[in-house]
Amino acid sequence: MPDKYAVIGNPVGHSLSPDIHRAFARATGQDITYDRLLAPLDAFEASVRKFFNDHESGRGLNVTLPFKREAWDIVDCHCGYALDAEAVNTIKLTGGRLEGHNTDGVGLLRDLEQNLEFPIRGKRVLIMGAGGATHGVVQPLLAARPESIIVANRTLDKAASLVSHFRRFRDLAADGLAALPYERLAGAQFDVVINATSAGLTGEMPPLPQSVFAPGALAYDMVYGKVTPFLKFAAARGARTADGIGMLVEQAAESFLVWRGVRPDTKPVIDWLRAEGGNMRAEGGGST
Ligand code: ATR
């Protein structure tokens, strides 16, 4: 019987994870099945247990909105960046225990540094938003040794508490990690501006000053399948732009590696999803 995997979320019908993981399995010759699993909002843990109890061949789950934090609570141990992210997007059943991983940050880093050839070392980074998406990527971004990371958020308290949560890693950035309200960004310039807010999904954008992009800056929106107002704003000011499709595929490849011990080639899958273009529904946050 093939090993069984699924993505669990609510809603989950839009998820591209089954397409991505089936493509990885074909390309690497792995005999697996991968489905979508809709969990009731009040029964995430029961749904996870049922998946592994009902399916003897159940080996792993991807977790998507809104359950990534809850997944962190129910797993038996946390691996790598999942511990401090306090969010889990990949569960692996191993030796009867549920291991929790978070591959979102590594996925973003690989997309930035390998696919887009934009090394983070020495760069001034601005991240907009202080929700789960930002939690998942701050530590891996710091590990890439930027000059600085500023977290801007509409609700400043949330950005301040996120920065305080990750304070023991802040020295990885020469100039540290800090929280600022959008109004305080006036006059500052950044080499990479990452939109980790959900604003683009509703056709809005955070209130960025006009001059925020340094020459040669990259504007990155974690939302995929749509040109957001932020990306239009950035392109009009001469910045290079990228949506979150590369991050989506890279975090999936990292999950596949956790489960199967083999890292699939991501480029053909990214190219294929880009070619699908308009047929994809917009989604946010490296979301499985
Ligand atoms: P996720 O887990 O995807 O990060 P979330 O926890 O709901 O989702 O966080 C969404 C983020 O987008 C928040 O930082 C939110 O700002 P607030 O904390 O002030 O609510 C941000 N956001 C959503 N819509 C926005 C908008 N129109 N402008 C600016 N920020 C926005």
Side-chain angles (χ1 to χ4, degrees):
M1 201 186 296
D3 289 346
K4 194 170 172 63
Y5 298 87
V7 53
I8 182 167
N10 186 333
V12 78
H14 64 275
S15 174
L16 295 173
S17 289
D19 310 277
I20 296 171
H21 282 279
R22 288 173 197 156
F24 287 164
R26 277 194 302 275
T28 57
Q30 299 275 317
D31 187 20
I32 67 165
T33 66
Y34 193 111
D35 301 303
R36 292 185 182 84
L37 192 57
L38 179 70
L41 289 173
D42 59 354
F44 171 69
E45 180 168 5
S47 304
V48 170
R49 307 261 173 236
K50 186 167 165 22
F51 173 81
F52 289 109
N53 288 338
D54 286 359
H55 305 289
E56 211 182 301
S57 57
R59 292 288 175 274
L61 290 170
N62 276 135
V63 182
T64 189
L65 300 176
F67 299 125
K68 292 185 189 185
R69 305 280 286 207
E70 213 177 327
W72 190 86
D73 290 330
I74 69 155
V75 292
D76 298 307
C77 59
H78 303 101
C79 298
Y81 291 126
L83 181 63
D84 287 289
E86 295 189 348
V88 156
N89 76 340
T90 305
I91 296 176
K92 177 184 181 183
L93 178 68
T94 176
R97 282 157 54 88
L98 297 182
E99 254 180 34
H101 299 250
N102 192 316
T103 66
D104 284 334
V106 174
L108 172 65
L109 252 295
R110 283 191 76 101
D111 195 35
L112 289 170
E113 298 204 317
Q114 255 118 82
N115 301 339
L116 301 169
E117 298 180 355
F118 196 92
I120 292 303
R121 181 176 280 270
K123 298 291 199 303
R124 294 161 293 176
V125 179
L126 171 64
I127 308 182
M128 300 184 288
T134 304
H135 265 88
V137 303
V138 162
Q139 198 191 346
L141 277 169
L142 282 167
R145 300 299 192 129
E147 172 74 16
S148 55
I149 298 185
I150 300 293
V151 181
N153 199 43
R154 212 167 43 175
T155 315
L156 185 61
D157 282 1
K158 274 170 72 180
S161 89
L162 182 143
V163 162
S164 159
H165 177 76
F166 287 101
R167 66 185 171 278
R168 69 198 162 91
F169 305 107
R170 73 179 163 216
D171 291 345
L172 290 169
D175 238 1
L177 169 72
L180 282 181
Y182 288 104
E183 331 55 284
R184 293 270 309 279
L185 297 177
Q189 287 213 312
F190 298 89
D191 304 301
V192 53
V193 180
I194 300 170
N195 188 10
T197 74
S198 44
L201 295 172
T202 49
E204 296 167 47
M205 71 166 270
L208 274 181
Q210 302 278 340
S211 57
V212 74
F213 302 103
L218 172 70
Y220 192 100
D221 204 318
M222 289 192 193
V223 166
Y224 58 80
K226 134 181 216 180
V227 180
T228 61
F230 164 64
L231 290 184
K232 282 189 197 138
F233 175 87
R237 280 149 194 87
R240 188 180 160 195
T241 60
D243 77 351
I245 200 74
M247 175 178 175
L248 173 76
V249 176
E250 294 296 343
Q251 64 75 30
E254 208 56 33
S255 298
F256 199 87
L257 174 64
V258 165
W259 290 329
R260 309 302 300 177
V262 43
R263 196 173 204 291
D265 188 7
T266 48
K267 186 168 184 307
V269 180
I270 294 172
D271 290 347
W272 167 58
L273 289 177
R274 282 208 195 288
E276 292 279 298
N279 298 329
M280 284 188 298
R281 272 189 50 187
E283 241 324 298
S287 228
T288 34

